[in-house]
Amino acid sequence: MRNDIAAAIAATAARLEPLLIDIRRDLHAHPELAFEEHRTAARVSAELGKLGIAHQNGVGRTGVVATIPGGRPGPTIVIRGDMDALPIEERTGLPFASQAPGRMHACGHDVHTATLLGVAGVLRDLAPELRGTVRLLFQPAEEILGGAAAMIEDGALDGADLALGFHNHPDMPAGQFATVRGATYAACDRFRLGLHGVSGHAAYPHTTVDPIVAAAALISALQSVVSREVGPLDPCVVTVGAIHGGTVHNIIPDNCELLGTVRTLRPEVRARAEAALRRHVAGIASAYRVEAAFDWLPGVPPTRNDEAVRAGTMRAVGAQLGDVAGEGEPSLGAEDFALIAERVPSCVLRIGSGAPGRDDHLHNSGYQPDETCIALGAQALARAAVELLAG
Ligand code: NI
């Protein structure tokens, strides 16, 4: 019985593979940014239509939700794949390179969309034997961490019992898979800090209140939040990514603005970092006599894998593809799948996408994933859905 399922999934995935690669290349040539995935969603809808799978367009603005009811009653599993591209100029030189200037599928969400369509094709064929319901979320706007919230608001998680997410990982060869125990991706919060002083001539600094010197002191001091307030085994990143202040060499300006991000894996550390930032801002503003306006802009929480779902996913991937899945390290990148994992027990499957002889990185203008990861990922996710629904 088990062997039959493995063979059936492998056969359907093999039959679909040329189509999935064709879809991926079509999406790659026509990348669309967050909440602009109209052409992408239309292609997804067309392919689901060809498979005879019921689906709803316009969920979470440009998202698509497909439903595959099994032959027997049971729980509902959500599988989510994201569809949006990045504002990057492509430099791969591939024949199917981006035709949209300044836009590229550099995070492999074209691969994700094709993979999820592969899952749809495989599970449609297995539907009569399936216990429960599979719901596929083709999500927009992951790169701005906005699409998951929009889909949830439109009811895409209503009645869901568990969920699977996935991401391609070029640091692992295609054919390899990994999951992480506990937090797999980080919380991502942002901050904006306005420092307001008193402008004046650079030659008479004592007649001014200099927000640039205050900003410099603060930028250095913020690193002590990481090194002296958070445990060394607890990941935390504080990055000031932008500083805006001043116009010319001989004027001390009135204002200086800092923009930054904080990444953490645990809620306690996240709260501690925010409190420490506020304290440093208040203390340094006072010491340097500037007024400070600090905005903490909460983003997504850490993405946490449920241990039971993770273990079930690992067993299923092993049963389908053999000894190809290992344990991965947490990443301080962020994922808005976190909002799904926060609501239903979930697991993110990392799908190796590294091509032989290449050293690729996500968000790089030359990224070329190994396309064999698409059909393999579809097999792994489909089998995981079958086994997790069977319980
Ligand atoms: Ni991504």
Side-chain angles (χ1 to χ4, degrees), residues 4-374:
D4 288 355
I5 285 193
I9 289 175
T12 310
R15 177 168 53 77
L16 290 175
E17 187 168 22
L19 170 67
L20 299 178
I21 290 175
D22 175 75
I23 292 169
R24 184 259 158 169
R25 292 183 177 188
D26 174 54
L27 300 181
H28 191 86
H30 301 96
E32 295 174 303
L33 299 181
F35 288 127
E36 295 173 0
E37 306 91 338
H38 300 287
R39 185 186 182 281
T40 306
R43 179 82 202 251
V44 166
S45 181
E47 296 300 329
L48 290 170
K50 281 187 223 164
L51 289 165
I53 295 175
H55 60 280
Q56 195 184 344
N57 298 322
V59 182
R61 292 164 66 178
T62 40
V64 180
V65 174
T67 306
I68 304 171
R72 293 176 289 152
T76 293
I77 187 168
V78 160
I79 310 178
R80 174 277 216 172
D82 41 18
M83 305 192 290
D84 55 324
L86 283 162
I88 291 177
E89 186 73 36
E90 178 159 350
R91 288 190 298 105
T92 62
L94 289 167
F96 53 91
S98 170
Q99 296 174 18
R103 283 181 240 154
M104 177 189 175
H105 269 295
C107 200
H109 297 187
D110 50 345
V111 166
H112 297 172
T113 307
T115 301
L116 198 54
L117 284 168
V119 173
V122 169
L123 290 181
R124 185 210 55 175
D125 286 1
L126 290 177
E129 297 149 64
L130 209 60
R131 181 171 167 255
T133 301
V134 178
R135 189 186 297 163
L136 305 177
L137 270 53
F138 295 86
Q139 186 202 297
E142 191 282 328
E143 294 292 356
I144 62 166
L145 303 177
M151 292 195 87
I152 292 168
E153 197 165 310
D154 281 359
L157 277 192
D158 293 358
D161 297 292
L162 66 166
L164 289 173
F166 59 100
H167 207 289
N168 72 105
H169 271 250
D171 54 343
M172 293 189 294
Q176 291 294 123
F177 297 80
T179 58
V180 177
R181 278 178 202 271
T184 183
Y185 297 115
C188 169
D189 300 305
R190 294 174 301 146
F191 61 88
R192 183 172 49 219
L193 173 64
L195 296 173
H196 183 65
V198 176
S199 57
H201 199 293
Y204 313 109
H206 57 292
T207 66
T208 74
V209 175
D210 188 341
I212 300 256
V213 170
L218 190 59
I219 290 166
S220 297
L222 287 183
Q223 291 312 315
S224 73
V225 172
V226 176
S227 69
R228 286 298 173 267
E229 297 207 32
V230 172
L233 299 180
D234 252 330
C236 176
V237 169
V238 177
T239 293
V240 174
I243 170 165
H244 304 124
T247 49
V248 290
H249 60 280
N250 64 347
I251 299 173
I252 290 169
D254 278 314
N255 299 301
C256 184
E257 184 189 54
L258 307 182
L259 304 174
T261 182
V262 176
R263 308 294 178 105
T264 50
L265 288 181
R266 290 202 300 128
E268 299 80 2
V269 178
R270 187 186 191 192
R272 184 153 192 188
E274 180 192 350
L277 253 66
R278 289 186 184 281
R279 190 161 29 76
H280 276 81
V281 167
I284 286 176
S286 163
Y288 287 78
R289 297 175 296 143
V290 294
E291 282 172 33
F294 183 70
D295 293 320
W296 176 261
L297 310 165
V300 297
T303 304
R304 289 197 63 81
N305 285 337
D306 176 87
E307 186 48 30
V309 180
R310 191 193 74 86
T313 301
M314 291 289 275
R315 279 196 301 274
V317 174
Q320 183 64 32
L321 295 167
D323 185 18
V324 295
E327 230 175 274
E329 296 283 319
S331 153
L332 287 224
E335 248 289 350
D336 72 356
F337 184 78
L339 299 173
I340 295 173
E342 196 177 44
R343 286 163 175 80
V344 293
S346 295
C347 177
V348 176
L349 180 64
R350 296 182 177 182
I351 299 175
S353 59
R358 292 188 59 84
D359 179 24
D360 273 306
H361 300 278
L362 297 175
H363 292 213
N364 178 278
S365 58
Y367 181 38
Q368 295 182 39
D370 185 328
E371 290 173 320
T372 61
C373 76
I374 298 171

